[in-house]
Amino acid sequence: MNFILRDENAVFYECGFSCDNVVFLKLGSEAFFITDSRYDTEAKEYIQNAEVIVGDRRDLFITVREFIKKSNIKELVFNPNEWSLAKYEKFTLDLDEVNFKQVPNFSQEKRIIKSDTELDILRHASSIGADAFDRFAKYLNENSLGASEQRLHYEAENILKKQGEYELSFSPIFALGRNAAKCHALPSNDSLEINDLILFDAGVKYKRYCSDRTRTAQFDKKINFSKIQTFSDAKQQKIYDTVLKAQEAGIKKVQTGIKACEVDFACREVIDKAGFGEFFIHSTGHGVGLDIHELPIISSKSETILEEGMIFTIEPGIYLPDEFGVRIEDTIVVTNGGAEVIGQ
Amino acid sequence: MNFILRDENAVFYECGFSCDNVVFLKLGSEAFFITDSRYDTEAKEYIQNAEVIVGDRRDLFITVREFIKKSNIKELVFNPNEWSLAKYEKFTLDLDEVNFKQVPNFSQEKRIIKSDTELDILRHASSIGADAFDRFAKYLNENSLGASEQRLHYEAENILKKQGEYELSFSPIFALGRNAAKCHALPSNDSLEINDLILFDAGVKYKRYCSDRTRTAQFDKKINFSKIQTFSDAKQQKIYDTVLKAQEAGIKKVQTGIKACEVDFACREVIDKAGFGEFFIHSTGHGVGLDIHELPIISSKSETILEEGMIFTIEPGIYLPDEFGVRIEDTIVVTNGGAEVIGQ
């Protein structure tokens, strides 16, 4: 299959290196990593299975088009989600002899089953992520009372980064009380009070692979992010217990050969039966890897058959508008026919 | 003009509010801010000149397509850089009665002249940015000796953010010595040594508007980011003086009625004459506003006529491969017929 890739993670997957200005071309048995002179030295050092080509820094596509023309290929597969309409039209202009074939997210399809090496990296990423939750829990104490959500979000980021050692999988969600119900757009100035519910969703990267985890917990001048939680508010406790039960049901359901939607159904059934179905407003989970959101999708419509080496989150939630929200998320590897929860 | 916008900053410019899930539609005399239920309350609070519509959270475009069909419009202007090919094809499917007209970056074209209010915000952003440079200079002292580039980049980010008070215009560039010559891809472990040259390019946001500034300076257990710099290395001093002279020539050239390329030429001429033309490998500057890169472009090809209320950077540089690089950047407002350097 001849293909072209522009996404950094997709390129990294092909050849073990990437940078922010690259086009990867697979033309027959040959592969080309086309970049600008800034990345030439490192690319050559890290890449074995593709030829490194230095293209024009301002527009690599001049070089890319030359390679395509020269190759005399008839068909080139591309991901239509990777290309803006403007870029695509400019690129394909006068390359009439080539059939540009749209295959949405073909790189992610290739990456759906992780290798043992990838799984080890992902386990390590999750373990670093779990440590970061512990460090943040330690940081939160009576001196945090009155601090704004915005400020604590900032502190959380720093603690996750561990003085620049790690990059983040995404900007963490740190939400207090009713903000946890709505994933607020604007950074809130609400301040941390005693007995506040905290929803914390965060991850770090290790060797470019992402961790992802969410905990909901109560702050009593201290906090722990284990899944065993006591809330002083009875309604919060009830919702929390329901979400935890749903998550456990989802994890228990995981086995090779079933459909991803069955995992979603197992979670949703618990929440539905408790009477909160309308407040579980998202899918149960998503794959995790080089991208924070990968395949498989764990939703009510996902027909993907679970296989050994898949890795995804299970993260049911209940969000009561203007009251509070609860989500519990772990990352799961399908292994030995069932679920292995990583980053414990 | 009927148009559709998806970019957050472009939407903010139209109605004073934005969020990460929005489509803005201008249909005849009516305007619609289509978002999901998470943002409904705040959108209604902040937006006067458009109707807030709650669409389907998973796919706002279902709602958007209904509005377009109902409106009976014949033409809809869109920015082809805002749409992936996949999204565009799905969106326009069976909307045959509408002519989708590509106008690249029409929102940025509208924003090229800033209002007095915008200019005041941008002046304030630049002043906050300059303060951050001073705070970072204060932070760098003999205790920083031996710290890695990666670590100092991390500290710079924190100092710029001022404990979460400000967002960054972009992740700053903090480069030591020879890394300053090539804008390295991988975070370097090179450590800070006495007499190192430091290139620091950074900005913060105020009310969503960006600041942008670069200084190059020598570290002698302390540092200052003023434009008056002394380097112990004669070649560094020569290059620095050339870049500074080029930047001053560019600033002096700014006046209403000239072409942007004349500013680029004024900078480039100084560097060419000094014999380093081939090492000034980028354009002289770019507009700054809600986006960190806006119009006008200040390049050798830019035919834009400078007008009152334009704002852009002037940032010539010389980059000697494997040796070092120097760039000096300020942000300029075209005012009273000439240049006002902001963030001094």
Side-chain angles (χ1 to χ4, degrees):
Chain A
M1 179 175 106
N2 304 316
F3 61 82
I4 184 167
L5 283 173
R6 301 176 61 204
D7 176 76
E8 272 194 61
N9 284 333
V11 171
F12 178 85
Y13 185 77
E14 296 298 329
C15 65
F17 183 76
S18 200
C19 61
D20 66 2
N21 192 27
V22 59
V23 177
F24 189 90
L25 270 183
K26 178 82 180 167
L27 302 175
S29 60
E30 292 185 297
F32 304 99
F33 184 99
I34 301 171
T35 185
D36 67 62
S37 57
R38 292 174 299 170
Y39 303 114
D40 183 32
T41 315
E42 283 154 307
K44 282 178 176 147
E45 190 179 330
Y46 288 101
I47 298 172
Q48 259 95 56
N49 60 346
E51 192 179 337
V52 177
I53 307 289
V54 174
D56 186 299
R57 178 163 173 180
R58 283 170 215 185
D59 189 2
L60 296 181
F61 285 90
I62 297 169
T63 316
V64 173
R65 286 160 55 94
E66 281 165 13
F67 270 78
I68 291 172
K69 283 191 172 174
K70 224 167 46 190
S71 73
N72 288 318
I73 55 157
K74 297 277 166 286
E75 185 177 87
L76 189 66
V77 168
F78 75 102
N79 176 4
N81 294 305
E82 264 184 12
W83 294 75
S84 76
L85 179 66
K87 193 87 188 165
Y88 175 76
E89 289 191 345
K90 192 176 165 202
F91 174 59
T92 54
L93 200 72
D94 91 19
L95 283 174
D96 300 330
E97 60 278 24
V98 182
N99 173 32
F100 289 93
K101 186 177 169 189
Q102 299 192 16
V103 182
N105 307 323
F106 66 93
S107 170
Q108 290 209 336
E109 292 283 356
K110 280 166 105 167
R111 285 145 54 190
I112 193 168
I113 308 280
K114 269 65 180 176
S115 71
D116 288 346
T117 310
E118 287 182 294
L119 290 175
D120 283 345
I121 292 171
L122 282 157
R123 284 185 185 99
H124 192 64
S126 280
S127 140
I128 291 168
D131 286 349
F133 271 71
D134 291 344
R135 285 200 307 280
F136 186 45
K138 224 170 192 168
Y139 166 83
L140 292 170
N141 61 29
E142 57 193 76
N143 297 324
S144 315
L145 279 169
S148 70
E149 210 176 68
Q150 191 185 48
R151 172 65 191 269
L152 293 169
H153 177 268
Y154 167 83
E155 297 293 349
E157 279 203 347
N158 279 351
I159 288 167
L160 289 161
K161 287 181 186 168
K162 209 176 177 184
Q163 301 182 310
E165 195 173 337
Y166 302 117
E167 285 188 36
L168 304 181
S169 303
F170 53 91
S171 179
I173 294 168
F174 176 84
L176 294 175
R178 67 194 181 88
N179 294 335
K182 56 181 213 164
C183 311
H184 234 250
L186 300 176
S188 147
N189 284 315
D190 287 6
S191 60
L192 180 63
E193 308 297 342
I194 196 79
N195 293 343
D196 265 353
L197 174 148
I198 291 177
L199 186 154
F200 185 50
D201 184 349
V204 295
K205 290 186 187 184
Y206 173 67
K207 295 187 175 182
R208 297 184 75 111
Y209 284 78
C210 298
S211 80
D212 196 2
R213 188 197 217 202
T214 307
R215 291 291 181 264
T216 307
Q218 179 170 304
F219 174 75
D220 312 302
K221 295 191 186 170
K222 58 183 172 21
I223 198 165
N224 79 79
F225 287 124
S226 82
K227 292 208 271 190
I228 301 158
Q229 290 291 333
T230 311
F231 292 85
S232 26
D233 180 276
K235 191 168 184 186
Q236 288 184 358
Q237 189 69 52
K238 186 180 174 191
I239 297 291
Y240 186 86
D241 292 343
T242 305
V243 174
L244 183 58
K245 211 174 138 195
Q247 204 225 13
E248 286 167 349
I251 294 170
K252 204 173 157 198
K253 187 74 190 175
V254 171
Q255 57 175 42
T256 49
I258 69 161
K259 289 180 182 171
C261 61
E262 296 180 64
V263 176
D264 184 273
F265 181 78
C267 291
R268 211 165 290 279
E269 191 181 25
V270 173
I271 292 174
D272 280 346
K273 281 191 178 156
F276 300 106
E278 66 180 302
F279 304 110
F280 178 16
I281 53 177
H282 54 68
S283 305
T284 287
H286 55 84
V288 177
L290 291 164
D291 291 340
I292 181 65
H293 293 123
E294 293 210 348
L295 298 174
I297 295 164
I298 314 296
S299 73
S300 61
K301 291 178 183 167
S302 175
E303 298 284 319
T304 307
I305 305 290
L306 299 190
E307 291 181 54
E308 291 281 319
M310 286 185 177
I311 173 167
F312 50 82
T313 66
I314 297 188
E315 50 176 310
I318 296 177
Y319 310 89
L320 303 180
D322 297 320
E323 293 189 68
F324 61 89
V326 170
R327 179 165 67 251
I328 304 171
E329 173 186 35
D330 285 293
T331 301
I332 307 297
V333 176
V334 183
T335 186
N336 297 322
E340 172 198 350
V341 180
I342 63 174
Q344 289 282 46
Chain B
M1 179 174 108
N2 303 316
F3 61 82
I4 183 166
L5 283 173
R6 301 176 61 203
D7 176 75
E8 272 194 61
N9 284 335
V11 171
F12 178 84
Y13 185 76
E14 294 298 328
C15 65
F17 183 77
S18 200
C19 61
D20 66 2
N21 192 27
V22 60
V23 177
F24 190 90
L25 270 182
K26 177 82 179 168
L27 302 175
S29 60
E30 293 185 298
F32 303 99
F33 184 99
I34 301 171
T35 185
D36 68 61
S37 57
R38 294 174 297 170
Y39 303 113
D40 183 31
T41 315
E42 283 153 308
K44 282 179 177 145
E45 190 178 330
Y46 287 101
I47 298 172
Q48 259 95 56
N49 59 346
E51 192 179 339
V52 177
I53 307 289
V54 174
D56 187 299
R57 177 161 172 183
R58 282 170 217 186
D59 188 1
L60 295 182
F61 285 91
I62 296 168
T63 316
V64 173
R65 286 160 55 92
E66 282 166 10
F67 269 78
I68 292 172
K69 283 192 173 174
K70 225 169 43 191
S71 73
N72 288 317
I73 55 156
K74 297 276 166 287
E75 184 176 89
L76 189 67
V77 168
F78 74 103
N79 176 4
N81 295 304
E82 265 183 13
W83 294 74
S84 76
L85 180 64
K87 193 88 190 164
Y88 176 75
E89 289 191 346
K90 191 175 166 205
F91 173 59
T92 55
L93 199 72
D94 91 18
L95 281 175
D96 301 330
E97 60 278 24
V98 182
N99 172 34
F100 289 92
K101 186 177 169 189
Q102 299 192 18
V103 181
N105 307 323
F106 65 94
S107 170
Q108 290 209 339
E109 292 283 357
K110 280 167 104 167
R111 284 144 55 191
I112 194 168
I113 308 282
K114 269 64 178 176
S115 70
D116 288 345
T117 310
E118 286 182 294
L119 291 174
D120 283 345
I121 293 171
L122 282 157
R123 285 186 185 98
H124 192 63
S126 281
S127 141
I128 292 168
D131 285 350
F133 271 70
D134 291 344
R135 285 200 308 280
F136 186 45
K138 223 171 192 169
Y139 166 82
L140 293 170
N141 61 29
E142 59 192 75
N143 298 323
S144 314
L145 278 169
S148 70
E149 209 177 68
Q150 191 184 48
R151 173 65 190 269
L152 293 170
H153 177 268
Y154 167 82
E155 297 294 348
E157 279 204 346
N158 280 351
I159 288 167
L160 288 162
K161 287 181 187 169
K162 210 179 177 183
Q163 301 183 310
E165 196 173 335
Y166 303 117
E167 286 187 36
L168 305 181
S169 302
F170 54 91
S171 180
I173 295 167
F174 176 85
L176 294 175
R178 67 193 180 89
N179 294 335
K182 58 180 210 163
C183 311
H184 233 248
L186 300 175
S188 147
N189 285 315
D190 287 5
S191 60
L192 181 63
E193 307 299 342
I194 197 76
N195 292 345
D196 265 353
L197 175 148
I198 291 177
L199 186 155
F200 186 50
D201 184 349
V204 295
K205 290 187 188 186
Y206 173 67
K207 294 190 175 179
R208 299 183 73 111
Y209 284 79
C210 299
S211 80
D212 195 3
R213 190 197 216 201
T214 306
R215 291 289 181 264
T216 308
Q218 178 171 306
F219 174 75
D220 311 302
K221 296 191 187 170
K222 58 183 175 16
I223 198 165
N224 79 79
F225 287 123
S226 82
K227 292 206 272 190
I228 301 157
Q229 291 290 333
T230 311
F231 293 85
S232 26
D233 180 276
K235 191 169 184 186
Q236 288 184 359
Q237 189 71 51
K238 186 180 173 190
I239 298 291
Y240 186 86
D241 292 344
T242 305
V243 174
L244 183 59
K245 208 174 139 196
Q247 204 224 13
E248 286 166 348
I251 294 171
K252 204 173 156 199
K253 188 72 190 176
V254 171
Q255 58 176 43
T256 49
I258 68 160
K259 289 180 181 172
C261 60
E262 296 180 65
V263 176
D264 183 273
F265 181 79
C267 291
R268 211 165 291 276
E269 192 181 25
V270 173
I271 293 174
D272 280 346
K273 281 193 178 156
F276 300 106
E278 65 179 302
F279 304 111
F280 178 17
I281 54 179
H282 54 67
S283 306
T284 288
H286 55 85
V288 177
L290 291 164
D291 291 340
I292 182 63
H293 294 125
E294 294 211 346
L295 298 175
I297 296 164
I298 313 296
S299 73
S300 61
K301 290 177 184 167
S302 176
E303 297 284 319
T304 308
I305 305 291
L306 300 189
E307 291 181 54
E308 291 281 318
M310 287 184 175
I311 172 168
F312 50 82
T313 65
I314 297 187
E315 48 175 312
I318 296 176
Y319 310 90
L320 303 180
D322 297 321
E323 293 189 68
F324 61 90
V326 170
R327 180 166 65 253
I328 305 171
E329 173 186 34
D330 285 292
T331 301
I332 306 297
V333 176
V334 182
T335 185
N336 297 322
E340 172 198 350
V341 180
I342 63 175
Q344 290 281 46

PDB file of all heavy atoms in Angstrom, chain A residues 197-215:
ATOM      1  N   LEU A 197     -16.025  18.178  46.743  1.00  0.00           N
ATOM      2  CA  LEU A 197     -15.761  17.066  45.832  1.00  0.00           C
ATOM      3  C   LEU A 197     -14.794  17.564  44.761  1.00  0.00           C
ATOM      4  O   LEU A 197     -14.949  18.662  44.224  1.00  0.00           O
ATOM      5  CB  LEU A 197     -17.082  16.616  45.209  1.00  0.00           C
ATOM      6  CG  LEU A 197     -17.035  15.541  44.115  1.00  0.00           C
ATOM      7  CD1 LEU A 197     -18.309  14.692  44.193  1.00  0.00           C
ATOM      8  CD2 LEU A 197     -16.922  16.156  42.723  1.00  0.00           C
ATOM      9  N   ILE A 198     -13.782  16.745  44.469  1.00  0.00           N
ATOM     10  CA  ILE A 198     -12.796  17.080  43.434  1.00  0.00           C
ATOM     11  C   ILE A 198     -12.802  16.000  42.360  1.00  0.00           C
ATOM     12  O   ILE A 198     -12.711  14.811  42.676  1.00  0.00           O
ATOM     13  CB  ILE A 198     -11.371  17.178  44.040  1.00  0.00           C
ATOM     14  CG1 ILE A 198     -11.263  18.406  44.947  1.00  0.00           C
ATOM     15  CG2 ILE A 198     -10.301  17.231  42.942  1.00  0.00           C
ATOM     16  CD1 ILE A 198      -9.913  18.534  45.648  1.00  0.00           C
ATOM     17  N   LEU A 199     -12.940  16.424  41.109  1.00  0.00           N
ATOM     18  CA  LEU A 199     -12.769  15.490  39.988  1.00  0.00           C
ATOM     19  C   LEU A 199     -11.441  15.832  39.314  1.00  0.00           C
ATOM     20  O   LEU A 199     -11.207  16.982  38.934  1.00  0.00           O
ATOM     21  CB  LEU A 199     -13.946  15.624  39.012  1.00  0.00           C
ATOM     22  CG  LEU A 199     -13.993  14.615  37.847  1.00  0.00           C
ATOM     23  CD1 LEU A 199     -15.446  14.422  37.379  1.00  0.00           C
ATOM     24  CD2 LEU A 199     -13.143  15.038  36.668  1.00  0.00           C
ATOM     25  N   PHE A 200     -10.574  14.827  39.185  1.00  0.00           N
ATOM     26  CA  PHE A 200      -9.230  15.070  38.641  1.00  0.00           C
ATOM     27  C   PHE A 200      -8.929  14.031  37.562  1.00  0.00           C
ATOM     28  O   PHE A 200      -8.915  12.836  37.828  1.00  0.00           O
ATOM     29  CB  PHE A 200      -8.206  14.996  39.782  1.00  0.00           C
ATOM     30  CG  PHE A 200      -6.805  15.353  39.367  1.00  0.00           C
ATOM     31  CD1 PHE A 200      -6.538  16.518  38.667  1.00  0.00           C
ATOM     32  CD2 PHE A 200      -5.730  14.523  39.692  1.00  0.00           C
ATOM     33  CE1 PHE A 200      -5.233  16.850  38.284  1.00  0.00           C
ATOM     34  CE2 PHE A 200      -4.432  14.843  39.322  1.00  0.00           C
ATOM     35  CZ  PHE A 200      -4.184  16.010  38.606  1.00  0.00           C
ATOM     36  N   ASP A 201      -8.740  14.528  36.350  1.00  0.00           N
ATOM     37  CA  ASP A 201      -8.532  13.678  35.164  1.00  0.00           C
ATOM     38  C   ASP A 201      -7.204  14.104  34.542  1.00  0.00           C
ATOM     39  O   ASP A 201      -7.069  15.250  34.110  1.00  0.00           O
ATOM     40  CB  ASP A 201      -9.701  13.912  34.193  1.00  0.00           C
ATOM     41  CG  ASP A 201      -9.649  13.010  32.961  1.00  0.00           C
ATOM     42  OD1 ASP A 201      -8.624  12.340  32.731  1.00  0.00           O
ATOM     43  OD2 ASP A 201     -10.655  13.001  32.212  1.00  0.00           O
ATOM     44  N   ALA A 202      -6.219  13.206  34.529  1.00  0.00           N
ATOM     45  CA  ALA A 202      -4.874  13.634  34.122  1.00  0.00           C
ATOM     46  C   ALA A 202      -4.045  12.467  33.601  1.00  0.00           C
ATOM     47  O   ALA A 202      -4.339  11.305  33.875  1.00  0.00           O
ATOM     48  CB  ALA A 202      -4.153  14.266  35.321  1.00  0.00           C
ATOM     49  N   GLY A 203      -3.011  12.803  32.851  1.00  0.00           N
ATOM     50  CA  GLY A 203      -2.085  11.782  32.357  1.00  0.00           C
ATOM     51  C   GLY A 203      -0.767  12.399  31.938  1.00  0.00           C
ATOM     52  O   GLY A 203      -0.675  13.599  31.662  1.00  0.00           O
ATOM     53  N   VAL A 204       0.264  11.567  31.920  1.00  0.00           N
ATOM     54  CA  VAL A 204       1.588  12.010  31.470  1.00  0.00           C
ATOM     55  C   VAL A 204       2.059  11.090  30.342  1.00  0.00           C
ATOM     56  O   VAL A 204       1.483  10.032  30.105  1.00  0.00           O
ATOM     57  CB  VAL A 204       2.628  11.966  32.615  1.00  0.00           C
ATOM     58  CG1 VAL A 204       2.274  12.951  33.718  1.00  0.00           C
ATOM     59  CG2 VAL A 204       2.768  10.550  33.165  1.00  0.00           C
ATOM     60  N   LYS A 205       3.126  11.520  29.671  1.00  0.00           N
ATOM     61  CA  LYS A 205       3.675  10.713  28.588  1.00  0.00           C
ATOM     62  C   LYS A 205       5.009  10.108  28.992  1.00  0.00           C
ATOM     63  O   LYS A 205       5.805  10.750  29.682  1.00  0.00           O
ATOM     64  CB  LYS A 205       3.915  11.573  27.348  1.00  0.00           C
ATOM     65  CG  LYS A 205       2.643  12.033  26.688  1.00  0.00           C
ATOM     66  CD  LYS A 205       2.972  12.749  25.392  1.00  0.00           C
ATOM     67  CE  LYS A 205       1.723  13.360  24.800  1.00  0.00           C
ATOM     68  NZ  LYS A 205       1.981  13.972  23.504  1.00  0.00           N
ATOM     69  N   TYR A 206       5.241   8.892  28.517  1.00  0.00           N
ATOM     70  CA  TYR A 206       6.545   8.254  28.685  1.00  0.00           C
ATOM     71  C   TYR A 206       6.917   7.684  27.324  1.00  0.00           C
ATOM     72  O   TYR A 206       6.138   6.919  26.733  1.00  0.00           O
ATOM     73  CB  TYR A 206       6.464   7.155  29.750  1.00  0.00           C
ATOM     74  CG  TYR A 206       7.725   6.335  29.879  1.00  0.00           C
ATOM     75  CD1 TYR A 206       8.902   6.915  30.351  1.00  0.00           C
ATOM     76  CD2 TYR A 206       7.741   4.995  29.514  1.00  0.00           C
ATOM     77  CE1 TYR A 206      10.070   6.168  30.454  1.00  0.00           C
ATOM     78  CE2 TYR A 206       8.906   4.237  29.620  1.00  0.00           C
ATOM     79  CZ  TYR A 206      10.064   4.835  30.078  1.00  0.00           C
ATOM     80  OH  TYR A 206      11.216   4.109  30.179  1.00  0.00           O
ATOM     81  N   LYS A 207       8.096   8.079  26.828  1.00  0.00           N
ATOM     82  CA  LYS A 207       8.505   7.692  25.472  1.00  0.00           C
ATOM     83  C   LYS A 207       7.386   7.929  24.461  1.00  0.00           C
ATOM     84  O   LYS A 207       7.114   7.056  23.619  1.00  0.00           O
ATOM     85  CB  LYS A 207       8.958   6.230  25.444  1.00  0.00           C
ATOM     86  CG  LYS A 207      10.219   5.982  26.259  1.00  0.00           C
ATOM     87  CD  LYS A 207      10.745   4.568  26.072  1.00  0.00           C
ATOM     88  CE  LYS A 207      12.075   4.399  26.803  1.00  0.00           C
ATOM     89  NZ  LYS A 207      12.636   3.066  26.618  1.00  0.00           N
ATOM     90  N   ARG A 208       6.725   9.050  24.573  1.00  0.00           N
ATOM     91  CA  ARG A 208       5.646   9.515  23.690  1.00  0.00           C
ATOM     92  C   ARG A 208       4.308   8.821  23.929  1.00  0.00           C
ATOM     93  O   ARG A 208       3.313   9.217  23.313  1.00  0.00           O
ATOM     94  CB  ARG A 208       6.007   9.354  22.199  1.00  0.00           C
ATOM     95  CG  ARG A 208       7.202  10.192  21.754  1.00  0.00           C
ATOM     96  CD  ARG A 208       7.408  10.038  20.262  1.00  0.00           C
ATOM     97  NE  ARG A 208       6.406  10.782  19.541  1.00  0.00           N
ATOM     98  CZ  ARG A 208       6.668  11.870  18.822  1.00  0.00           C
ATOM     99  NH1 ARG A 208       7.893  12.326  18.734  1.00  0.00           N
ATOM    100  NH2 ARG A 208       5.698  12.478  18.178  1.00  0.00           N
ATOM    101  N   TYR A 209       4.238   7.786  24.757  1.00  0.00           N
ATOM    102  CA  TYR A 209       2.977   7.074  24.985  1.00  0.00           C
ATOM    103  C   TYR A 209       2.259   7.659  26.209  1.00  0.00           C
ATOM    104  O   TYR A 209       2.900   8.026  27.192  1.00  0.00           O
ATOM    105  CB  TYR A 209       3.228   5.578  25.162  1.00  0.00           C
ATOM    106  CG  TYR A 209       3.521   4.874  23.849  1.00  0.00           C
ATOM    107  CD1 TYR A 209       4.774   4.957  23.250  1.00  0.00           C
ATOM    108  CD2 TYR A 209       2.524   4.153  23.186  1.00  0.00           C
ATOM    109  CE1 TYR A 209       5.040   4.337  22.034  1.00  0.00           C
ATOM    110  CE2 TYR A 209       2.776   3.521  21.971  1.00  0.00           C
ATOM    111  CZ  TYR A 209       4.044   3.617  21.403  1.00  0.00           C
ATOM    112  OH  TYR A 209       4.296   3.007  20.199  1.00  0.00           O
ATOM    113  N   CYS A 210       0.929   7.716  26.129  1.00  0.00           N
ATOM    114  CA  CYS A 210       0.114   8.443  27.108  1.00  0.00           C
ATOM    115  C   CYS A 210      -0.415   7.573  28.241  1.00  0.00           C
ATOM    116  O   CYS A 210      -0.777   6.419  28.025  1.00  0.00           O
ATOM    117  CB  CYS A 210      -1.113   9.037  26.411  1.00  0.00           C
ATOM    118  SG  CYS A 210      -0.708  10.227  25.140  1.00  0.00           S
ATOM    119  N   SER A 211      -0.515   8.154  29.421  1.00  0.00           N
ATOM    120  CA  SER A 211      -1.331   7.558  30.470  1.00  0.00           C
ATOM    121  C   SER A 211      -2.608   8.381  30.602  1.00  0.00           C
ATOM    122  O   SER A 211      -2.665   9.519  30.147  1.00  0.00           O
ATOM    123  CB  SER A 211      -0.579   7.543  31.808  1.00  0.00           C
ATOM    124  OG  SER A 211      -0.624   8.808  32.441  1.00  0.00           O
ATOM    125  N   ASP A 212      -3.626   7.787  31.220  1.00  0.00           N
ATOM    126  CA  ASP A 212      -4.918   8.475  31.379  1.00  0.00           C
ATOM    127  C   ASP A 212      -5.647   7.874  32.573  1.00  0.00           C
ATOM    128  O   ASP A 212      -5.757   6.643  32.671  1.00  0.00           O
ATOM    129  CB  ASP A 212      -5.764   8.315  30.107  1.00  0.00           C
ATOM    130  CG  ASP A 212      -6.918   9.298  30.050  1.00  0.00           C
ATOM    131  OD1 ASP A 212      -7.048  10.133  30.969  1.00  0.00           O
ATOM    132  OD2 ASP A 212      -7.697   9.227  29.087  1.00  0.00           O
ATOM    133  N   ARG A 213      -6.135   8.731  33.463  1.00  0.00           N
ATOM    134  CA  ARG A 213      -6.776   8.265  34.683  1.00  0.00           C
ATOM    135  C   ARG A 213      -7.657   9.374  35.253  1.00  0.00           C
ATOM    136  O   ARG A 213      -7.318  10.546  35.130  1.00  0.00           O
ATOM    137  CB  ARG A 213      -5.665   7.950  35.700  1.00  0.00           C
ATOM    138  CG  ARG A 213      -6.136   7.267  36.964  1.00  0.00           C
ATOM    139  CD  ARG A 213      -5.040   7.410  38.011  1.00  0.00           C
ATOM    140  NE  ARG A 213      -4.929   6.215  38.833  1.00  0.00           N
ATOM    141  CZ  ARG A 213      -4.382   6.227  40.052  1.00  0.00           C
ATOM    142  NH1 ARG A 213      -3.886   7.333  40.558  1.00  0.00           N
ATOM    143  NH2 ARG A 213      -4.307   5.116  40.746  1.00  0.00           N
ATOM    144  N   THR A 214      -8.761   9.007  35.865  1.00  0.00           N
ATOM    145  CA  THR A 214      -9.608   9.979  36.564  1.00  0.00           C
ATOM    146  C   THR A 214      -9.970   9.442  37.945  1.00  0.00           C
ATOM    147  O   THR A 214     -10.274   8.251  38.086  1.00  0.00           O
ATOM    148  CB  THR A 214     -10.920  10.249  35.803  1.00  0.00           C
ATOM    149  OG1 THR A 214     -10.622  10.622  34.460  1.00  0.00           O
ATOM    150  CG2 THR A 214     -11.722  11.373  36.457  1.00  0.00           C
ATOM    151  N   ARG A 215      -9.918  10.323  38.920  1.00  0.00           N
ATOM    152  CA  ARG A 215     -10.432   9.988  40.239  1.00  0.00           C
ATOM    153  C   ARG A 215     -11.364  11.102  40.702  1.00  0.00           C
ATOM    154  O   ARG A 215     -11.177  12.270  40.350  1.00  0.00           O
ATOM    155  CB  ARG A 215      -9.286   9.853  41.251  1.00  0.00           C
ATOM    156  CG  ARG A 215      -8.396   8.639  41.030  1.00  0.00           C
ATOM    157  CD  ARG A 215      -9.130   7.347  41.344  1.00  0.00           C
ATOM    158  NE  ARG A 215      -8.275   6.187  41.164  1.00  0.00           N
ATOM    159  CZ  ARG A 215      -8.231   5.439  40.052  1.00  0.00           C
ATOM    160  NH1 ARG A 215      -8.988   5.746  39.007  1.00  0.00           N
ATOM    161  NH2 ARG A 215      -7.437   4.389  39.994  1.00  0.00           N
TER     162      ARG A 215
END
